[in-house]
Amino acid sequence: MNNLFVYCEIEDGAVAEVSLELLTKGRKLADSLKCKLEAVVLGSNLQGIEKQLFPYGVDVLHVADDPRLYPYQTLPHTSVVVKLFEAEKPQIALMGATSIGRDLGPRVSSALHSGLTADCTSLEIGDHEDKKAGVTYKDLLYQIRPAFGGNIIATIINPDCRPQMATVREGVMKKEILDENYKGEVKYLDVNQFVSPEEFVVEIIERHIEQSKVNLKGAPIIVAGGYGVGSRENFSLLYELAEVLGGEVGASRAAVDAGYAGHERQIGQTGITVRPKLYIACGISGQIQHRAGMEESAQIIAINTDPEAPINAIADYVITGDVAEVIPKMIRYYRKNTK
Amino acid sequence: MRGLKIIVLAKQVPDTRNVGKDAMKADGTVNRAALPAIFNPEDLNALEQALWIKDNIPGTTITLLTMGPGRAADIIREGMFRGADDGVLLSDRAFAGSDTLATSYALSQAIRRIGEFDIIIAGRQAIDGDTAQVGPQVAEKLKIPQLTYVEEIKSVDESRIVVKRRLERGVEQAACNLPLVLTVNGTAAECRARNARLLMKYKHARTVSEMQSANEDYLHLYNDRPYLNITEWSVNDIESDPSQLGLNGSPTKVKKIDNVVLQAKESRMISSSDEDIEELMVELISSHAIG
Ligand SMILES: Cc1cc2nc3c(=O)[nH]c(=O)nc-3n(C[C@H](O)[C@H](O)[C@H](O)COP(=O)(O)OP(=O)(O)OC[C@H]3O[C@@H](n4cnc5c(N)ncnc54)[C@H](O)[C@@H]3O)c2cc1C
């Protein structure tokens, strides 16, 4: 009872990266709360799935194995999770901020009247004193995320409602095996007790999963462009530089909104989190939501016409100048000196 | 085939895309008042899907529902200029401080008051939070199915809809019976522009609160032309449990807001001159940062 739960996603028989990252974080939080780490997996043909999960320190694994539960569908998955949570009363529930987690999380929170914080960049345990009511809450989940309105970070709590729910994007937390031989307990759910046939209302006619063509997470060098790049045409300079250096192209949300780059290239709090060897920020001001997704890069080069741009404060090299002038020079002198 | 009854959920948001230098205060926070208030971009994509259905199924009506302060009536008018039939503004101090759950509760109670509907269409997310929570939370409150991240409606009739969904990794074609909630992605068709005839027809449309400050000369208009009245509901116009509204009804609380102080790194300053850039590239190559 009152343990920490992680909803684990499955794609083609494998547990999603983001779920393993959350289990790693969940294990640490559970240790400081002195509670168990429990995982929930729903899908089809799940025998042996515990082998992928126990090494992350899962104490109890709830498995709902039924051909109808894969691929993911909103209502049946919601039903299983809601009923399981009603019975188990977790204090904390974590999900990936993915197509699935962002579809499921809000339904579960709405059904249970529990608070949900999206796209957290950090999770901690701490106390809260409500001075007005004269109450002190022990060991709450601090759900930390940048807030709209400038250089600010908000700490959100759910003092009274349980579970305290949060979603986190892939790549924000680090995945780490706790112990290859860690042994937990597997509990198989009787799916028919949780789902009624009427809940399978959605018919998935066709599903076409494509591996993303853009591999930002694995790229050693990222050339990222912002609104300051100015146009889709100018963005082609970034592709050229990335190609020459053997890197990948990323973008800020403002550049994506302006149509300079596709959404799959967005870096930041509500995009992808990256930690490349080298990050070249071109015409990006460096707002907090953007920095959240790249500030752990090993080295950062900022190219900006504004010598006061916030990105400069976290850059190792600050080039004050126009993207359209600087990038061709970088390409030229790279070529000249590597021949 | 009978026409469908569609409710579009829309939000007026600060234009987070245009936080120029003049909107920044000295302490690094944003002066929200200096930002223009706009129709949330993906809610416009949602409206377009509704208009597409209206084009294809004669007799379909579109009601735009928004919760916000009085000035949010602007987006109802904007919707009417583009083809929505009417709108409801849900506005009351009692809703202030709502998190996504309290918002979805208030919206779902307003939807119950509106009555029958076939499809509720919302944008996937609002740009001031990017949470994508309100659509699914409303669907759960109404106990109806949802199809999220819709990019295109393939077919629809009075009982069933088939859509293409845009997922993180790929696409899916899915079908579901009505009624349901759809949330629409920014990759869906852009919303059509204002229609000149509708602009003329609805430019004087007002909520009750707005009419009170309207020019005397126009007052007779609202009696003669009922379609110029934008419905405005306060908390008393919907059935609600006060413990689920506003700040009290919001399970999530902001414990604190911290200003992030940037620890300025020791950065190397480089000009855009040929010499400086060449020197930098040589250094990066020899330190194996590149190459
Ligand atoms: C809920 C929420 C979530 C968000 N999530 C993200 C996210 O995941 N990722 C993200 O990036 N943002 C996110 N944002 C948006 C973020 O707050 C900023 O608006 C955005 O990062 C700004 O992008 P930008 O730096 O490209 O544009 P701007 O802030 O407009 O900066 C443009 C920069 O380009 C410089 N410049 C102009 N012309 C040139 C030139 N010719 N050469 C060189 N430099 C030039 C300017 O000096 C300026 O510094 C989010 C916002 C909200 C509210």
Side-chain angles (χ1 to χ4, degrees), chain B residues 229-240:
Chain B
N229 294 281
I230 297 176
T231 306
E232 179 179 355
W233 286 340
S234 75
V235 69
N236 298 321
D237 295 303
I238 60 171
E239 270 183 43
S240 66

Side-chain angles (χ1 to χ4, degrees), chain B:
Chain B
M1 195 176 2
R2 72 175 167 88
L4 301 185
K5 179 126 184 53
I6 302 176
I7 299 172
V8 171
L9 304 180
K11 182 182 185 187
Q12 192 181 45
V13 291
D15 189 356
T16 60
R17 295 172 303 181
N18 279 314
V19 187
K21 276 198 176 146
D22 33 328
M24 295 304 285
K25 295 191 267 185
D27 64 355
T29 59
V30 171
N31 175 9
R32 279 173 177 256
L35 295 181
I38 58 166
F39 202 120
N40 178 53
E42 286 185 333
D43 298 344
L44 279 173
N45 296 105
L47 176 60
E48 177 57 31
Q49 294 305 312
L51 292 168
W52 182 86
I53 297 174
K54 188 174 162 177
D55 290 343
N56 285 281
I57 305 183
T60 294
T61 60
I62 302 172
T63 301
L64 205 132
L65 171 63
T66 188
M67 181 170 113
R71 67 182 150 83
D74 280 345
I75 66 167
I76 294 181
R77 274 184 291 275
E78 189 59 52
M80 290 163 113
F81 298 158
R82 296 172 195 240
D85 296 271
D86 54 22
V88 176
L89 170 66
L90 192 58
S91 191
D92 202 298
R93 289 239 168 109
F95 304 130
S98 293
D99 68 1
T100 61
L101 195 64
T103 301
S104 64
Y105 176 71
L107 289 173
S108 61
Q109 292 306 100
I111 291 167
R112 289 182 203 277
R113 163 95 202 257
I114 291 172
E116 298 212 333
F117 63 86
D118 297 288
I119 310 181
I120 294 170
I121 314 185
R124 175 187 54 145
Q125 63 190 29
I127 55 172
D128 57 348
D130 275 9
T131 72
Q133 286 171 192
V134 170
Q137 284 175 331
V138 166
E140 178 66 29
K141 296 258 177 280
L142 297 171
K143 295 277 168 228
I144 55 174
Q146 71 194 37
L147 289 169
T148 47
Y149 328 123
V150 171
E151 190 167 83
E152 196 185 331
I153 297 175
K154 292 284 180 187
S155 70
V156 59
D157 62 28
E158 61 215 355
S159 60
R160 197 169 168 78
I161 188 164
V162 181
V163 303
K164 177 175 151 201
R165 303 176 64 214
R166 169 66 49 184
L167 309 176
E168 259 159 336
R169 298 188 174 98
V171 290
E172 182 180 283
Q173 196 151 310
C176 187
N177 290 345
L178 311 187
L180 88 172
V181 170
L182 305 179
T183 76
V184 179
N185 235 30
T187 51
E190 228 178 272
C191 191
R192 64 196 64 184
R194 295 171 172 187
N195 171 303
R197 187 181 54 79
L198 294 174
L199 179 63
M200 289 310 290
K201 179 173 174 188
Y202 289 119
K203 74 177 174 203
H204 294 297
R206 295 289 180 272
T207 60
V208 182
S209 314
E210 287 174 324
M211 275 176 218
Q212 283 161 357
S213 51
N215 189 322
E216 294 271 331
D217 299 346
Y218 284 118
L219 284 177
H220 67 276
L221 270 181
Y222 302 107
N223 294 323
D224 300 349
R225 303 180 193 166
Y227 58 82
L228 290 181
N229 294 281
I230 297 176
T231 306
E232 179 179 355
W233 286 340
S234 75
V235 69
N236 298 321
D237 295 303
I238 60 171
E239 270 183 43
S240 66
D241 164 5
S243 73
Q244 294 203 47
L245 294 175
L247 209 52
N248 280 335
S250 300
T252 59
K253 313 277 179 211
V254 178
K255 177 175 166 59
K256 57 176 180 153
I257 300 273
D258 292 316
N259 242 307
V260 180
V261 187
L262 286 177
Q263 297 282 8
K265 269 196 203 172
E266 284 221 2
S267 359
R268 275 260 308 280
M269 298 304 186
I270 294 162
S271 81
S272 56
S273 73
D274 284 77
E275 301 75 55
D276 270 20
I277 302 282
E278 178 158 22
E279 197 187 317
L280 169 69
M281 295 319 272
V282 170
E283 182 179 323
L284 292 173
I285 293 164
S286 61
S287 70
H288 300 289
I290 55 177

Side-chain angles (χ1 to χ4, degrees), chain A residues 242-277:
Chain A
E243 165 137 29
V244 170
L245 300 180
E248 190 56 271
V249 172
S252 71
R253 194 180 82 168
V256 171
D257 286 343
Y260 302 166
H263 184 261
E264 68 285 359
R265 297 191 187 269
Q266 183 181 319
I267 290 169
Q269 183 210 351
T270 60
I272 300 167
T273 295
V274 296
R275 298 179 183 82
K277 255 171 50 187

Side-chain angles (χ1 to χ4, degrees), chain A residues 226-227 252-254 266-270 283 285 289-290 304 322-323:
Chain A
Y227 192 67
S252 71
R253 194 180 82 168
Q266 183 181 319
I267 290 169
Q269 183 210 351
T270 60
S285 61
Q289 292 91 351
H290 187 77
N304 203 303
D322 189 322
V323 174

Side-chain angles (χ1 to χ4, degrees), chain A residues 16-18 20-22 24-25 56 173-177:
Chain A
E17 285 286 296
V18 66
L20 300 176
E21 292 164 6
L22 285 175
T24 308
K25 183 71 192 180
Y56 293 88
M173 305 295 173
K174 282 185 197 139
K175 169 182 95 166
E176 215 174 309
I177 287 184

